[in-house]
Amino acid sequence: MSERMIKQFMEMVQIDSESGNEANFINYLEKEYQKLGAKTKQDSYGNLIAKLPAKGCEGKSPILLSCHADTVKPGVGIKPVLKDGVIRSSGDTILAADDKAGIAEMLEALRIAEIHPPIEIAISREEEIGLFGVKNLDYSLLTAKRGFLLDNDTLDTIIIGGPSYFTFDVTIKGKSAHAGMEPEKGINAIVAASKAIVALKLGRLDHETTANVGIIDGGIVRNGVPDKVVFKAECRSLNHEKAAKLASEMTAIMKREAEAAGAQIEIIENNLCKAVDIPENSFTVNLSKKALKTVGIDAKATFMTGFTDASIYNNHGIEMAVVGIGARNEHALDEHIYIEDMEKALKMIVELLRLSAQ
């Protein structure tokens, strides 16, 4: 067992780094990469870039290794517990294996790898809230055209494509009135919002398309006709044209229903990510499959309707396959990771480095 990797992972998850509050953790990581002999730089957005020279080979193209530094909530005051070969949180927070297990595995792989090409490392901020770190990354600091994102949960899949992602920040304005004395003088914004939401097609719409309303907030007092409601919705699809069409349809439906209820509506729509995929027989996917076979895993290339930094890298012309780190139940209080899986991921990364140097 790589006790050093496990010890460092458990140390790292105790450094708070919820999205937007990653600075202390990134400063910690910068020192860790410098210990490895890397040249480091934080770009203007606070992302960390580190570069290591080749080891045991010459004349090879650099590869990019990437993880994200931030965690979802609740991620403050994490207390990791190791029992029976499994690391969990104490139960009232996430564990932050997503993505600190990937970082711990990468660091240990770089320590023990006997051969690797030039390595470029990118640790991004604010991945969990919209991939903002990698979207604002200073790409002039990178030269690699191929790489691996260590941010998939399962070791037996390799992510080769992600969705187009649209978000909607909706504000519905009605008219306030006393609910008991003169309700007919009001326009109930909650009712208008409810009609707009009910009219939407939500959930899994087909094998590659989903839509959801995840947040709603409105009203101040029980006996008042509420004059304002805000809610947040989204849609995504592995087909960009399909996602764009669905986004237009959702906007039209919300406007129609709110206005029919006599309310005003404002919709801020954003396309945060565009669908992209890499070929299943690409360089990074083939190497990932070969590396995973050395730990007894016959991995399959697949698509996901979640999104990762790889979508942005691939849209920037950097071929990135997403490989597993062994985390389970990410974003939940029961998030956990088996040491056995971390060891397999470590061996896989070391083999990726060796194969990349050939």
Side-chain angles (χ1 to χ4, degrees):
M1 183 177 80
S2 178
E3 294 182 0
R4 178 173 54 188
M5 175 179 69
I6 302 305
K7 180 181 179 182
Q8 182 166 41
F9 169 66
M10 296 181 72
E11 177 184 329
M12 289 195 301
V13 300
Q14 296 178 70
I15 304 172
D16 298 342
S17 61
E18 288 180 344
S19 300
N21 187 38
E22 311 93 337
N24 288 340
F25 182 49
I26 285 180
N27 289 337
Y28 164 91
L29 290 178
E30 184 166 25
K31 293 175 183 176
E32 291 300 303
Y33 285 111
Q34 288 171 351
K35 290 177 185 177
L36 294 171
K39 294 182 178 179
T40 64
K41 181 180 178 63
Q42 293 186 34
D43 68 13
S44 61
Y45 201 75
N47 300 297
L48 175 61
I49 307 295
K51 294 186 178 183
L52 282 166
K55 182 179 181 181
C57 69
E58 295 180 0
K60 298 299 178 181
S61 299
I63 63 164
L64 175 64
L65 299 178
S66 186
C67 296
H68 63 87
D70 62 317
T71 75
V72 296
K73 298 179 180 181
V76 174
I78 295 171
K79 298 180 179 64
V81 178
L82 171 57
K83 183 179 180 181
D84 298 328
V86 184
I87 305 172
R88 305 177 185 273
S89 79
S90 58
D92 52 359
T93 67
I94 57 160
L95 175 62
D98 174 17
D99 193 14
K100 292 181 180 180
I103 297 172
E105 293 156 5
M106 182 210 298
L107 280 166
E108 188 63 19
L110 292 171
R111 291 188 190 107
I112 68 175
E114 296 181 357
I115 180 171
H116 62 69
I119 304 291
E120 297 181 348
I121 298 146
I123 306 296
S124 67
R125 296 182 55 228
E126 297 182 333
E127 187 266 359
E128 296 287 8
I129 58 173
L131 314 180
F132 293 119
V134 74
K135 287 178 180 178
N136 290 281
L137 186 70
D138 184 351
Y139 285 89
S140 71
L141 299 175
L142 300 177
T143 61
K145 295 302 179 186
R146 292 167 170 169
F148 305 93
L149 181 70
L150 313 177
D151 192 23
N152 184 20
D153 50 1
T154 58
L155 291 164
D156 61 355
T157 57
I158 302 162
I159 305 301
I160 62 172
S164 286
Y165 182 59
F166 288 82
T167 62
F168 310 90
D169 292 279
V170 184
T171 302
I172 291 184
K173 296 179 180 178
K175 184 179 179 182
S176 60
H178 193 290
M181 301 293 290
E182 46 187 12
E184 60 280 347
K185 291 185 178 181
I187 298 173
N188 193 310
I190 290 178
V191 171
S194 299
K195 290 182 176 180
I197 292 169
V198 167
L200 297 172
K201 294 179 180 178
L202 301 175
R204 181 167 296 283
L205 306 186
D206 61 38
H207 70 285
E208 61 183 2
T209 310
T210 62
N212 187 57
V213 175
I215 299 173
I216 184 168
D217 182 45
I220 300 174
V221 294
R222 185 197 300 267
N223 63 348
V225 176
D227 65 349
K228 182 180 178 181
V229 167
V230 296
F231 65 89
K232 296 180 184 293
E234 65 162 49
C235 70
R236 59 182 82 192
S237 179
L238 294 173
N239 181 300
H240 179 70
E241 289 71 26
K242 188 182 292 185
K245 181 181 178 183
L246 177 59
S248 296
E249 291 173 352
M250 290 176 69
T251 295
I253 289 169
M254 290 185 287
K255 286 184 176 179
R256 181 192 72 206
E257 295 298 322
E259 290 170 359
Q264 297 178 312
I265 184 169
E266 297 175 359
I267 302 173
I268 300 174
E269 177 185 320
N270 281 304
N271 180 198
L272 295 181
C273 197
K274 185 175 181 180
V276 65
D277 61 86
I278 58 177
E280 187 170 345
N281 64 350
S282 64
F283 174 88
T284 54
V285 176
N286 283 335
L287 258 63
S288 299
K289 288 181 177 180
K290 289 179 181 178
L292 284 160
K293 280 186 177 179
T294 65
V295 292
I297 296 174
D298 185 15
K300 306 295 183 185
T302 187
F303 296 86
M304 70 182 298
T305 48
F307 51 92
T308 69
D309 283 346
S311 291
I312 309 303
Y313 285 124
N314 283 312
N315 275 314
H316 271 273
I318 303 174
E319 179 191 299
M320 293 286 279
V322 190
V323 294
I325 59 173
R328 306 189 188 197
N329 288 8
E330 307 99 308
H331 298 194
L333 298 185
D334 188 38
E335 182 186 11
H336 59 283
I337 192 164
Y338 283 72
I339 288 177
E340 179 184 5
D341 287 338
M342 291 189 73
E343 295 285 352
K344 288 180 179 179
L346 170 61
K347 292 176 182 177
M348 178 263 295
I349 297 168
V350 171
E351 183 66 7
L352 277 178
L353 298 177
R354 188 187 71 82
L355 291 170
S356 297
Q358 290 184 344

